[in-house]
Amino acid sequence: RKNSKANKLLHLTIMSQRIDASDGLMISMNSQKTTMDSIHRKSSTSVDIDIEEGSEHHEETLQQQSRRLSQIIKSRTELYQLKKDTPTTQSNEMSEKEETSGIRYMLKEVATAKEHGGDYKQRSLTALRTSIGSFVTFAVLVYPQQEVLGAVWIANIFMHSTINTSFGSSFGSVLGFGRSIILTTACSWPVAFFINSLSTKDASIILPFLVFILTFLIMSCPPLVSRNLMILVMYIVVASPVREDMIWWKPFSWVATYLIGIMVALLSNIIPFPNFVLKSTHKKLQKFENDFAMLLLETKAYSENTAITPALSIAARASIELLQSRICSTIKELKADLPATRTELEIRCKKKASKALSDWVIDCQDLLTPLRLLRNALAQRLLGEEYDVYSPHLREAKKIINEEVGSSRDRLADAMIAAIAVCHAHADPNSHRTVLPHLTPELDFALKECRQSFHWAIAKAAKKLGVNPQSTSPIFAHLTRRMAAFNALFDIGDILLAHLKKYSWELESFNEEAKQGPCNCITSMYHTHLKMRWSPWLWHKPDSYRLALKTSVGMSIASLFISIPYLWRISQPFGVWPGLTIASVNLVTTGSSFSKAGDRLFGTMLAAAYALLVTDLFPGNSDLVKIPALTMFTFILIYLRGNKHAYANTYAATSIGSMFYGSVKNDFDFDGYIPKRIELIFAGVVIFSLVEFLLFPRSSRKVVEETSFQFFLTMNSFLKQAVKCTKLMETYVCELGKSSSSDYAAELFRNSIDPFHLDKLSEYHDMLQIQSSKLKKEIDSSIEEPHVGLSTPLHPESFRGIVREQFNSEIQAFILIDSLKELAGHYQQEGHPAREFNWPHFHTELLQGISETLDYICKWLETTFPDGRLRPQNGNSMKAITAAASFRSLEDVRLQSISKWSNNFQQFLSVEGFDTSDPEAIMTLGITTDCLLELCLRMQKAGRHVEEIVHHFPSTN
């Protein structure tokens, strides 16, 4: 800090921001102004960002950024100053006539859509790009003779599949589709040429077998993308020469048509409305920075008011929950956009900026766990604690913690806000940076100072609580929440510090970007996107093997509409449609496949109705009518497309082109083509249903019922293994106190690098993680799966609740393993206070109590559900409710655990004291206890959802 002038200024500025916690029931306007001014000064020395003249994205200086942040702080400060007892309301008097006055009302809604959270502009741009893409695709391809560039409607399908949310993602799709189309056609063309040389009878006999083999290979080929569409490419090539002569170059003309479609999609993201992901990434990084700063400010507000004004602390806690959710969503969005962002940066030859952004987004993934811990620590109310909210002893302890930690906490928060600003300025592709200050020493010092301050704050608070009698609950339990909350903040700081240490900030310069020539860019793009990377064939995976096999069987059966003369007479000249339907709707899970099949039928009916209306109103088969009609239809459907049943709108938009231009073989007889198309698509859905249910039955509903049940058993095994681990630690600590301690330690570590069997505990956690991931993957499909009356349908809210709570408990299991590993390291240090007091015995008692209770619950579950599925069995509703109610006993376990923790912690302080204690060990002890309490709470909530499931069981006679 002494070697850098900028860091000295930053240090002096942050030191000037320290706020005395005793001043603050409310934040006065003077302190508000001081805070905003100090943030201006701090930010102006944090990052130096230059503005490039003529830049497309005008960059804010740090002073402008701090001014924007100050406005946010001001709004929150004014919110705190609202009087609790005088809520104000503004009456907007509006007559009923004005509120629903047609066009005038709609114009007013459009004008205020942005402030009400509307996204009509984004919807309009997306719909406009897609409709323009369809217009250009058909305009380019239909005016040449379709014998040269045929299958125009398939080109429109590829255009819709390629025009993604941004230019970067579309560019990746173009490269992937182009490579896959060429490879699929190159493999299919020799087969089609061979079929063309056979007689119609021989070709009809051999077609189903060739289709089966080619479909299986395509579904198992690793380099191919969107394999369902590649089956469409293959099937058109292979099936065409069976009933008609095919010119040898025809498949290559189709390839040219497809490539034109995907290139039109790429151009639609550039002209007329550029759609680059870099702009949205810049906005998301700004949103991330603002929300993160507000999260830290709300954390400070919660800590300052929790002992003084409970109403304000409640408001701050609710704000923290909101901001945590928004930050996690933004981090996930940044990760999802990262491939497209890197593609756009590599196209612009900015490889260094691409790496900086990738490193930051990857490091941000580590923030998800401490953010969840922070929310849980502040949101949960330990049993009995709510009765002591207004206890003078507890309020006094909270005041002590706030007084001791206040200044160091504020300094840490300010340093973290500055660190986020620096990291974003470095990672943001639109930032134009010169020299970035070296914040690592400041953040490192703030972390150490806050850790030490919190350690002494806990010591004083515990001493204060220790001399006062406990009232209605173990008052020491409150310290676990404080430890968990501050530990989450320290983890966030450590993650930011680790990222800062990766770079030499005083040497970083925007102009250091290495200049790459076109050849280097092309080589880089080739290695990234076009180079074949042959991984193992997908048939080694059970789910992929099943999908490839059932798709091959379905396609082989559908090819009978071309091979069998009777079926060909029914379907000619459109016998390929049943096969194309199977290729499109066949997914891994049953529920998702049936949902997509239903959306396909609905989209077909919608497009058919519109096509018939257009042809009746404007007879004559004029391209000047059809192309504008399908363009308008595409715009409306894409604009109205939502998250649920989005495929129905997308398929209707692609199907309208098929109906207008796919009927070329039928001399554009729409009245005959459209009903035939609906008939053959329905035939494909029926074939798919028979294959799915009879030949390859797999119920997502069964998977969810079995896996959610098995998760409880695996968690029981996990806790039993945790008990064994802590018993080994207890034995180790006890034996070290004897004369033969060195011999015991040598024997324990001689033949094992994992003497406490924590790796075995990690294996059980891996099983929990696999089961939780499977549940998250299958839950939507299980709910969408058609109900055929063979059992009670799943109750969506209850099973989603079970999946959510089991996911949260899996996270707590992961944190427990890390805590036990840290404690094991402390126990191996000679003379460590934690080892002297034998904390492993305490953790063994806690884990044993939880394990025995969960073991009792699992035995009830196994007795009630003998087939291992959470569903009605032999009129077991009363027995099932008894088994589900056994989860409520975890509430008593939590209360006992809190009591034991309070007693042990008080004895530890009276014996060892804080003077000789290790702050990290004290923190880890609190985190371990808090983790066990949270684990019990999640299991208890999961049991509550099991009770709700049982409530929907049928009654017994």
Side-chain angles (χ1 to χ4, degrees):
R1 292 193 301 280
K2 295 180 180 179
N3 295 331
S4 174
K5 181 179 181 181
N7 289 324
K8 288 182 178 180
L9 292 175
L10 175 64
H11 177 71
L12 293 174
T13 304
I14 294 178
M15 290 294 293
S16 66
Q17 290 180 294
R18 296 184 179 180
I19 300 173
D20 190 1
S22 61
D23 289 340
L25 175 62
M26 295 291 180
I27 302 177
S28 64
M29 295 301 294
N30 292 331
S31 64
Q32 171 189 337
K33 184 176 184 302
T34 302
T35 303
M36 290 188 288
D37 292 341
S38 63
I39 290 180
H40 283 308
R41 294 193 300 271
K42 174 184 70 65
S43 300
S44 63
T45 59
S46 295
V47 186
D48 184 13
I49 299 178
D50 292 340
I51 301 177
E52 182 178 328
E53 296 182 359
S55 174
E56 180 181 358
H57 303 293
H58 183 76
E59 292 304 312
E60 296 176 317
T61 63
L62 276 190
Q63 295 169 348
Q64 293 171 327
Q65 292 178 0
S66 63
R67 190 179 301 114
R68 172 170 46 84
L69 182 60
S70 299
Q71 293 297 326
I72 301 175
I73 300 171
K74 179 179 178 182
S75 65
R76 289 306 301 162
T77 304
E78 292 173 349
L79 178 62
Y80 289 154
Q81 292 176 340
L82 291 176
K83 300 297 183 181
K84 297 179 295 180
D85 53 350
T86 57
T88 58
T89 58
Q90 296 180 354
S91 60
N92 296 324
E93 297 182 359
M94 180 181 294
S95 64
E96 183 178 355
K97 183 178 180 181
E98 290 179 346
E99 188 176 355
T100 58
S101 58
I103 296 177
R104 182 179 177 183
Y105 172 71
M106 289 301 300
L107 291 176
K108 182 178 180 181
E109 288 293 305
V110 171
T112 59
K114 185 176 181 180
E115 61 186 75
H116 296 155
D119 62 341
Y120 80 96
K121 289 186 178 180
Q122 183 64 32
R123 284 174 173 263
S124 300
L125 289 175
T126 302
L128 196 58
R129 292 188 189 98
T130 309
S131 58
I132 291 176
S134 293
F135 178 87
V136 174
T137 301
F138 283 100
V140 169
L141 294 176
V142 299
Y143 285 105
Q145 294 295 325
Q146 293 196 45
E147 287 77 9
V148 179
L149 293 175
V152 181
W153 53 276
I154 301 182
N156 188 45
I157 293 176
F158 276 104
M159 192 281 301
H160 277 269
S161 302
T162 309
I163 188 166
N164 296 325
T165 56
S166 65
F167 172 80
S169 57
S170 294
F171 187 83
S173 298
V174 166
L175 297 179
F177 275 129
R179 179 187 62 204
S180 301
I181 289 172
I182 294 174
L183 182 60
T184 302
T185 305
C187 296
S188 304
W189 179 78
V191 178
F193 187 76
F194 169 71
I195 293 176
N196 195 40
S197 64
L198 301 176
S199 63
T200 301
K201 181 178 179 180
D202 295 339
S204 300
I205 294 173
I206 200 173
L207 178 65
F209 301 99
L210 293 177
V211 169
F212 179 92
I213 295 173
L214 290 175
T215 301
F216 188 83
L217 292 176
I218 290 174
M219 294 300 295
S220 303
C221 186
L224 298 183
V225 299
S226 191
R227 297 178 184 85
N228 290 33
L229 283 178
M230 295 308 109
I231 293 176
L232 181 149
V233 173
M234 176 273 299
Y235 193 55
I236 293 292
V237 174
V238 172
S240 296
V242 175
R243 293 293 175 179
E244 60 183 21
D245 292 334
M246 186 177 70
I247 307 174
W248 67 269
W249 51 264
K250 196 69 174 179
F252 302 105
S253 72
W254 293 337
V255 170
T257 303
Y258 307 154
L259 295 181
I260 290 174
I262 62 177
M263 291 305 298
V264 168
L266 186 63
L267 292 176
S268 297
N269 283 285
I270 304 176
I271 304 173
F273 305 105
N275 183 28
F276 295 103
V277 74
L278 291 176
K279 183 177 180 180
S280 63
T281 300
H282 173 67
K283 292 181 178 179
K284 289 173 182 176
L285 287 173
Q286 285 185 330
K287 177 185 174 184
F288 183 11
E289 181 180 345
N290 292 339
D291 289 342
F292 190 85
M294 280 303 307
L295 177 72
L296 294 174
L297 294 174
E298 293 293 344
T299 304
K300 291 164 58 175
Y302 172 80
S303 183
E304 290 170 355
N305 292 285
T306 183
I308 303 173
T309 312
L312 295 183
S313 66
I314 291 173
R317 190 168 69 240
S319 300
I320 290 172
E321 293 178 6
L322 170 65
L323 292 168
Q324 181 267 342
S325 177
R326 279 166 40 177
I327 292 173
C328 291
S329 299
T330 304
I331 291 175
K332 293 176 182 178
E333 291 173 2
L334 287 171
K335 183 181 179 181
D337 293 341
L338 184 58
T341 309
R342 294 187 61 181
T343 298
E344 292 185 8
L345 289 173
E346 289 171 1
I347 291 175
R348 302 183 184 189
C349 300
K350 294 183 177 181
K351 191 173 182 180
K352 184 178 179 181
S354 174
K355 185 179 184 305
L357 178 63
S358 301
D359 292 343
W360 173 238
V361 173
I362 292 173
D363 288 343
C364 283
Q365 305 305 309
D366 297 332
L367 293 173
L368 295 175
T369 298
L371 285 172
R372 293 192 187 100
L373 287 178
L374 178 63
R375 176 176 179 172
N376 291 338
L378 298 182
Q380 71 174 350
R381 307 292 291 178
L382 301 178
L383 289 179
E385 185 184 341
E386 58 271 16
Y387 300 110
D388 286 329
V389 170
Y390 300 101
S391 167
H393 309 310
L394 182 57
R395 294 181 65 181
E396 186 67 24
K398 292 179 179 180
K399 288 181 180 179
I400 291 174
I401 295 176
N402 188 37
E403 291 172 358
E404 293 292 327
V405 185
S407 59
S408 60
R409 178 204 60 216
D410 294 346
R411 180 174 184 175
L412 175 61
D414 293 336
M416 291 167 68
I417 291 175
I420 283 287
V422 170
C423 293
H424 280 179
H426 181 255
D428 191 348
N430 291 334
S431 293
H432 304 288
R433 56 191 182 275
T434 54
V435 178
L436 300 175
H438 197 13
L439 292 175
T440 305
E442 174 62 32
L443 182 57
D444 192 11
F445 179 80
L447 279 169
K448 293 178 180 178
E449 181 187 33
C450 192
R451 279 191 168 103
Q452 189 63 36
S453 299
F454 181 73
H455 177 67
W456 291 112
I458 291 292
K460 293 184 67 174
K463 186 180 297 185
K464 185 70 176 179
L465 293 175
V467 299
N468 293 307
Q470 299 181 4
S471 53
T472 60
S473 68
I475 207 167
F476 271 86
H478 174 76
L479 299 180
T480 61
R481 288 207 301 130
R482 280 289 180 267
M483 291 179 181
F486 273 88
N487 182 73
L489 287 177
F490 296 153
D491 286 345
I492 294 173
D494 289 336
I495 294 171
L496 296 177
L497 183 62
H499 183 78
L500 291 174
K501 287 182 177 179
K502 292 181 180 179
Y503 302 96
S504 299
W505 295 96
E506 296 177 351
L507 302 177
E508 290 290 333
S509 173
F510 177 79
N511 297 322
E512 286 181 356
E513 183 72 58
K515 299 297 182 182
Q516 291 181 312
C519 295
N520 292 333
C521 290
I522 294 174
T523 302
S524 177
M525 295 298 294
Y526 168 76
H527 286 285
T528 304
H529 297 283
L530 294 178
K531 187 177 182 180
M532 293 290 184
R533 294 178 175 84
W534 283 93
S535 55
W537 285 82
L538 300 180
W539 59 55
H540 295 290
K541 301 178 181 179
D543 289 341
S544 300
Y545 176 78
R546 175 184 173 276
L547 177 61
L549 196 58
K550 74 171 184 177
T551 307
S552 302
V553 172
M555 291 296 298
S556 181
I557 296 175
S559 66
L560 298 179
F561 278 85
I562 298 176
S563 297
I564 299 178
Y566 175 73
L567 296 178
W568 172 248
R569 286 195 297 270
I570 294 175
S571 61
Q572 68 174 337
F574 310 108
V576 296
W577 275 108
L580 300 184
T581 301
I582 292 175
S584 300
V585 304
N586 211 9
L587 301 176
V588 177
T589 58
T590 302
S592 299
S593 298
F594 273 97
S595 177
K596 191 174 183 179
D599 290 343
R600 188 179 181 89
L601 284 174
F602 177 78
T604 301
M605 299 295 292
L606 188 62
Y610 179 77
L612 290 174
L613 177 63
V614 172
T615 54
D616 288 341
L617 292 176
F618 305 97
N621 188 34
S622 173
D623 291 328
L624 296 179
V625 173
K626 292 191 298 184
I627 293 180
L630 67 87
T631 301
M632 182 179 64
F633 186 70
T634 300
F635 179 87
I636 295 173
L637 286 178
I638 300 302
Y639 182 86
L640 297 176
R641 181 175 60 186
N643 294 329
K644 191 174 183 181
H645 302 292
Y647 180 72
N649 291 48
T650 303
Y651 183 73
T654 59
S655 184
I656 189 65
S658 305
M659 291 179 180
F660 279 158
Y661 290 99
S663 55
V664 62
K665 293 183 179 181
N666 204 32
D667 295 328
F668 296 102
D669 180 14
F670 297 103
D671 293 337
Y673 171 75
I674 291 176
K676 182 63 67 176
R677 176 183 169 89
I678 297 174
E679 172 190 349
L680 295 178
I681 288 178
F682 180 75
V685 172
V686 171
I687 294 173
F688 153 75
S689 303
L690 294 176
V691 172
E692 185 76 29
F693 275 119
L694 300 181
L695 299 182
F696 300 95
R698 180 188 181 277
S699 174
S700 299
R701 179 170 158 270
K702 178 182 177 182
V703 172
V704 170
E705 290 174 344
E706 288 180 344
T707 308
S708 57
F709 178 87
Q710 190 64 35
F711 187 93
F712 292 121
L713 303 183
T714 307
M715 181 60 74
N716 186 29
S717 301
F718 172 84
L719 291 174
K720 289 182 178 179
Q721 180 61 34
V723 172
K724 294 179 181 178
C725 295
T726 54
K727 282 186 176 179
L728 287 173
M729 295 180 189
E730 180 182 358
T731 304
Y732 173 78
V733 170
C734 293
E735 289 293 333
L736 286 180
K738 300 179 181 179
S739 58
S740 58
S741 59
S742 58
D743 296 337
Y744 175 78
E747 182 65 24
L748 183 65
F749 288 94
R750 178 178 300 152
N751 299 322
S752 176
I753 59 175
D754 180 33
F756 303 125
H757 297 176
L758 292 173
D759 288 343
K760 182 67 175 179
L761 191 63
S762 298
E763 293 178 5
Y764 280 110
H765 170 259
D766 292 340
M767 296 172 60
L768 291 173
Q769 191 175 28
I770 292 173
Q771 291 169 353
S772 178
S773 301
K774 182 186 291 187
L775 286 171
K776 292 173 65 177
K777 177 183 176 181
E778 299 280 352
I779 183 63
D780 291 332
S781 175
S782 64
I783 293 173
E784 294 173 350
E785 192 171 298
H787 178 56
V788 294
L790 300 180
S791 182
T792 302
L794 293 183
H795 188 245
E797 292 80 7
S798 301
F799 272 96
R800 289 187 190 278
I802 288 180
V803 173
R804 180 176 60 253
E805 298 303 336
Q806 290 182 341
F807 169 72
N808 291 331
S809 63
E810 178 265 318
I811 293 177
Q812 297 301 320
F814 173 77
I815 299 172
L816 177 62
I817 294 175
D818 280 353
S819 300
L820 291 178
K821 288 181 178 179
E822 291 184 16
L823 289 176
H826 294 316
Y827 297 151
Q828 296 174 34
Q829 298 178 20
E830 186 175 356
H832 198 280
R835 188 172 79 176
E836 299 298 330
F837 194 72
N838 195 7
W839 278 100
H841 177 71
F842 164 70
H843 289 136
T844 301
E845 287 186 346
L846 293 189
L847 283 166
Q848 198 156 11
I850 301 172
S851 176
E852 290 175 354
T853 304
L854 192 58
D855 186 60
Y856 172 77
I857 295 171
C858 290
K859 288 179 180 178
W860 258 112
L861 293 176
E862 290 175 331
T863 304
T864 308
F865 306 102
D867 63 349
R869 295 173 60 182
L870 293 177
R871 63 170 182 171
Q873 299 176 28
N874 300 323
N876 62 341
S877 57
M878 295 304 297
K879 195 173 183 179
I881 197 64
T882 304
S886 61
F887 281 93
R888 299 189 181 189
S889 57
L890 289 171
E891 186 172 2
D892 298 331
V893 175
R894 290 170 57 214
L895 185 58
Q896 293 173 4
S897 300
I898 293 173
S899 179
K900 290 179 180 179
W901 155 256
S902 297
N903 295 333
N904 277 47
F905 192 71
Q906 189 172 9
Q907 293 177 14
F908 174 75
L909 296 180
S910 62
V911 174
E912 299 294 338
F914 268 81
D915 297 335
T916 58
S917 299
D918 183 4
E920 292 186 5
I922 296 294
M923 184 73 74
T924 306
L925 292 173
I927 295 301
T928 306
T929 305
D930 182 78
C931 176
L932 292 175
L933 294 172
E934 187 70 17
L935 183 62
C936 285
L937 178 62
R938 296 302 175 182
M939 286 288 98
Q940 182 182 340
K941 289 185 175 181
R944 180 57 186 166
H945 291 300
V946 175
E947 290 186 41
E948 294 175 358
I949 293 173
V950 176
H951 289 170
H952 294 82
F953 281 10
S955 59
T956 58
N957 294 327

